[in-house]
Amino acid sequence: DLAYLKNSNKLLAIITIISLFSLAGIPPFMGFYGKLLIFNFLVFTGNYIICFILLLLSIASCIYYIRLIRFIYFDDKFEEPIAFQKKKTIYVYILIIFLFFFNITFLFFQELLLLYIISLLN
C-alpha cells in the first residue's frame, strides 16, 4: 500500500519519509541526536554491553525504516491508488504539520535546543 503513496499524495509521502528518516536515526534529524545522547551516556557510564545491544537493535530498526522508504519511492505500482478519507479533521492536519515543523526546527536549531535541554537538566 505504501507504493501508491507517492502517486496519490506527494506531500504526505515526503512528510512520511522525513519522519521515517528521523525514526531510523539518520543525521541531521532529531532521532539521531536522541540515539547519540543515549549511546554517549552508556559509554560514559561504562555500560558497553548494553550499548552494543542497543547499537545492534538500532541497526535492525534502521534497516526496517529504510525498507519502508524503498517501498514508498522505488516500488512502482500503477494500479488503483490508496483511497484516502475525503474528509479529514483539522486535528490530523495540525498533528502532521506540528511533527513536520518539529523535525525541521530541530534540523536547523539543534545545538541551541540541546544546550537548553542540558541546562535544564543541570
Side-chain angles (χ1 to χ4, degrees), residues 5-44:
L5 189 60
K6 72 175 178 183
N7 296 327
S8 63
N9 196 340
K10 293 185 188 310
L11 178 64
L12 186 60
I14 291 171
I15 291 173
T16 303
I17 295 227
I18 289 172
S19 299
L20 287 172
F21 275 140
S22 179
L23 285 171
I26 305 295
F29 297 105
M30 68 182 185
F32 170 74
Y33 294 101
K35 289 180 181 183
L36 182 66
L37 288 174
I38 290 173
F39 289 136
N40 281 340
F41 177 75
L42 288 173
V43 169
F44 180 72

Side-chain angles (χ1 to χ4, degrees), residues 69-87:
I69 293 170
R70 181 183 64 92
F71 288 148
I72 293 174
Y73 269 102
F74 299 110
D75 283 352
D76 291 328
K77 300 283 184 175
F78 298 106
E79 299 169 6
E80 185 71 26
I82 297 174
F84 288 101
Q85 184 181 3
K86 295 293 182 192
K87 183 179 178 186

Side-chain angles (χ1 to χ4, degrees), residues 47-69:
N47 294 322
Y48 299 113
I49 295 173
I50 295 173
C51 183
F52 180 71
I53 292 170
L54 286 178
L55 186 64
L56 291 177
L57 292 173
S58 178
I59 291 170
S61 68
C62 185
I63 291 169
Y64 177 75
Y65 292 127
I66 299 297
R67 186 173 154 254
L68 290 178
I69 293 170

Side-chain angles (χ1 to χ4, degrees), residues 68-119:
L68 290 178
I69 293 170
R70 181 183 64 92
F71 288 148
I72 293 174
Y73 269 102
F74 299 110
D75 283 352
D76 291 328
K77 300 283 184 175
F78 298 106
E79 299 169 6
E80 185 71 26
I82 297 174
F84 288 101
Q85 184 181 3
K86 295 293 182 192
K87 183 179 178 186
K88 296 179 183 79
T89 63
I90 190 71
Y91 301 113
V92 172
Y93 288 115
I94 290 172
L95 179 65
I96 289 173
I97 291 170
F98 173 75
L99 292 176
F100 176 72
F101 282 116
F102 188 71
N103 257 326
I104 297 302
T105 302
F106 199 83
L107 174 67
F108 293 111
F109 301 109
Q110 59 198 345
E111 185 176 354
L112 294 173
L113 289 172
L114 288 174
L115 289 175
Y116 179 71
I117 290 170
I118 290 171
S119 69

